[in-house]
Amino acid sequence: MIRRRDSLKKPTKAIICAAGLGTRFLPQTKAMPKEMLPIIDRPVIQLIVEEAVAAGVTEIIMVTGSTKRAIEDHFDRSDELEAELREKGKDDKADEIKAVAELANFVYVRQKGTPKGNARPVLNAQHLIDDDEPFFVFFADDFFRSEVPRAKQLLDAYEATGKSVISLIEVDKADADKYGMAAIKDEAAGGAYQVTELIEKPGADNTPSNLASVGGYLLTPDILPIIADEKPDKNGEITLADSINELAQQDAVYGRIIDGIWHDTGNQLKYIKAVVDLALERDDFGPELAEYLRERLK
């Protein structure tokens, strides 16, 4: 039964999974976390924090690893740097770095335990989530370029349905061997579809739809005991997809087709595409970059 919209508890916490080693970007990521790779002048992880804050999140729970100190430093105040910038008359820059530290309350949790998998960070952070509290989960290397932040779109669907909501994108069925594909049925309010199952990389002939599941979830706490009891998959990992499938057997789960362009910065080519796409949208140097690319491609 769908709960009344006015009785829903607002999500104010987001778990960001940021413990990956980033081996595809070595040797760069030997000293710098992959989540800190810059998209022009902001690290990837800041883009994700900003979209969560835009949806009303006030507490960011970072689940990190032993090499991620730079993330903590980035979201911390730097009084010395701020003072130096102000002495040089760069008040705008000082205000900008101060604002980053004040985006939310940041909590850091070290990822630990086995089996591993993308559900492990949720287990590590579950003690920070109340029993009746919905929460966001994001991966630290993918984001959407959109007018309305992905997190806000998920929130709209959650408020319309009262249930867990996952992010979906439309893909060519020929690419169904690259994604977890969603089997859907009824359309609900808030632009959401009920998801009955996620099928991992089924291929074009076996996919139930052209809708792929990508990073970004607004989950109800009903999923926490499911994750805690999850059995490892064939790769020896516990995954959010498996837990979502089990939740879908017990209660409705919805998928929201996110209006925007999805960027995955998990490998070099996709990262470069994300940088170029966002750079081309900049008013200060986008047109000049576009002209340069046209000349270069001649």
Side-chain angles (χ1 to χ4, degrees):
M1 178 178 175
I2 294 177
R3 290 173 286 177
R4 289 174 45 194
R5 181 181 179 126
D6 59 4
S7 70
L8 299 177
K9 188 167 184 179
K10 295 279 189 180
T12 60
K13 296 176 183 176
I15 299 170
I16 299 182
C17 310
L21 296 176
T23 53
R24 289 179 177 144
F25 287 90
L26 286 170
Q28 174 63 38
T29 48
K30 178 177 180 290
M32 183 180 75
K34 66 174 182 176
E35 298 83 7
M36 291 297 295
L37 290 170
I39 304 295
I40 316 299
D41 49 11
R42 290 181 294 172
V44 177
I45 198 167
Q46 183 178 327
L47 301 179
I48 298 163
V49 169
E50 288 172 351
E51 71 157 297
V53 170
V57 167
T58 58
E59 185 167 312
I60 301 291
I61 304 167
M62 300 275 194
V63 182
T64 66
S66 60
T67 60
K68 308 290 183 169
R69 180 60 186 269
I71 296 175
E72 297 185 36
D73 291 342
H74 179 73
F75 290 105
D76 196 6
R77 287 288 300 271
S78 179
D79 294 334
E80 183 178 349
L81 176 58
E82 288 177 33
E84 184 175 339
L85 289 169
R86 295 191 191 284
E87 286 177 6
K88 294 180 178 180
K90 298 180 179 181
D91 289 333
D92 56 336
K93 290 297 182 184
D95 291 341
E96 185 176 358
I97 63 170
K98 178 183 177 183
V100 169
E102 295 177 345
L103 282 168
N105 178 45
F106 294 92
V107 179
Y108 298 91
V109 176
R110 181 69 59 87
Q111 180 168 305
K112 56 184 179 293
T114 56
K116 297 188 183 299
N118 63 21
R120 172 57 58 182
V122 179
L123 280 183
N124 290 153
Q126 69 174 337
H127 63 288
L128 299 170
I129 305 296
D130 293 337
D131 292 341
D132 62 344
E133 184 176 26
F135 57 96
F136 290 98
V137 178
F138 298 111
F139 302 135
D141 56 5
D142 74 281
F143 65 94
F144 274 84
R145 180 162 49 92
S146 57
E147 289 188 13
V148 178
R150 164 186 51 179
K152 182 63 170 63
Q153 295 182 53
L154 292 173
L155 178 61
D156 290 343
Y158 163 74
E159 290 181 335
T161 64
K163 305 296 182 181
S164 292
V165 185
I166 68 174
S167 299
L168 300 175
I169 60 170
E170 295 184 73
V171 300
D172 193 306
K173 285 190 175 182
D175 292 326
D177 59 347
K178 302 174 183 175
Y179 300 93
M181 304 299 293
I184 61 171
K185 57 176 187 179
D186 304 329
E187 183 176 4
Y193 294 85
Q194 187 172 350
V195 175
T196 58
E197 186 180 10
L198 294 176
I199 303 174
E200 183 65 15
K201 300 177 181 178
D205 295 336
N206 297 310
T207 185
S209 73
N210 69 333
L211 298 177
S213 171
V214 294
Y217 312 84
L218 206 179
L219 301 173
T220 59
D222 312 275
I223 201 168
L224 292 173
I226 294 174
I227 296 175
D229 196 44
E230 194 65 65
K231 302 298 185 292
D233 64 9
K234 63 182 179 181
N235 297 314
E237 298 183 339
I238 53 172
T239 68
L240 287 172
D242 285 345
S243 298
I244 288 167
N245 279 344
E246 188 169 338
L247 179 61
Q249 303 306 309
Q250 303 175 14
D251 195 6
V253 172
Y254 288 87
R256 169 66 185 257
I257 302 174
I258 302 300
D259 183 14
I261 305 299
W262 179 60
H263 289 289
D264 176 4
T265 63
N267 67 41
Q268 291 94 329
L269 180 58
K270 291 178 180 179
Y271 169 71
I272 292 168
K273 288 180 178 179
V275 173
V276 171
D277 279 359
L278 269 73
L280 287 171
E281 290 191 338
R282 292 277 294 250
D283 292 333
D284 48 355
F285 55 73
E288 186 175 346
L289 175 61
E291 180 61 29
Y292 167 77
L293 291 174
R294 282 191 289 268
E295 291 296 322
R296 182 68 180 83
L297 292 174
K298 286 181 180 179

